[in-house]
Amino acid sequence: QVQFVESGGGLVQPGGSLRLSCAASGSIFRFYAMAWYRQAPGNQREWVAIIIQGGSTIYADSVKGRFTVSRDNAKNTLYLQMNSLKPEDTAVYYCNQRPALDAWGQGTLVTVSS
């Protein structure tokens, strides 16, 4: 059974930084493309960053140049370094495979506010 456990969210001021982590279990992590997704209040869930098995990355235009996705296959862990945070980055952040499985974790809340 695949499980994802996200952590690292919190309250941060505009312009600040956070690093999110996602521990994955139940699948052969290194064989799959992984992604970070987010869902803001009243909005649909959207992807923000993808990292494929070989390490290449793709970013949504809204976060390009500010967010960096990385993975540690030895630890089955996905990371998201978020810099220059904006209030519009406020959301619950989730990780999942890409395409996503029907196995969402609880997410981690990121609030960007002064």
Side-chain angles (χ1 to χ4, degrees):
Q1 185 138 351
V2 177
Q3 285 189 317
F4 304 106
V5 180
E6 301 90 351
S7 62
L11 173 63
V12 62
Q13 292 187 340
S17 298
L18 281 175
R19 189 191 193 208
L20 306 184
S21 299
C22 167
S25 62
S27 70
I28 305 175
F29 180 80
R30 67 183 183 274
F31 287 168
Y32 297 97
M34 296 293 297
W36 283 97
Y37 303 79
R38 69 184 180 187
Q39 186 168 19
N43 289 0
Q44 289 189 335
R45 189 176 286 153
E46 61 178 359
W47 71 270
V48 295
I50 300 168
I51 183 166
I52 67 173
Q53 296 90 319
S56 296
T57 56
I58 306 168
Y59 297 94
D61 287 345
S62 58
V63 306
K64 200 173 295 183
R66 301 187 298 120
F67 289 12
T68 302
V69 59
S70 61
R71 65 193 296 166
D72 186 335
N73 290 336
K75 295 182 179 179
N76 282 10
T77 302
L78 186 71
Y79 302 99
L80 186 68
Q81 177 67 43
M82 306 187 296
N83 299 328
S84 303
L85 282 161
K86 304 176 180 180
E88 51 263 44
D89 294 319
T90 295
V92 179
Y93 284 72
Y94 304 87
C95 70
N96 204 317
Q97 292 179 193
R98 182 71 179 176
L101 301 175
D102 187 19
W104 296 94
Q106 82 288 351
T108 187
L109 176 63
V110 172
T111 303
V112 184
S113 175
S114 55

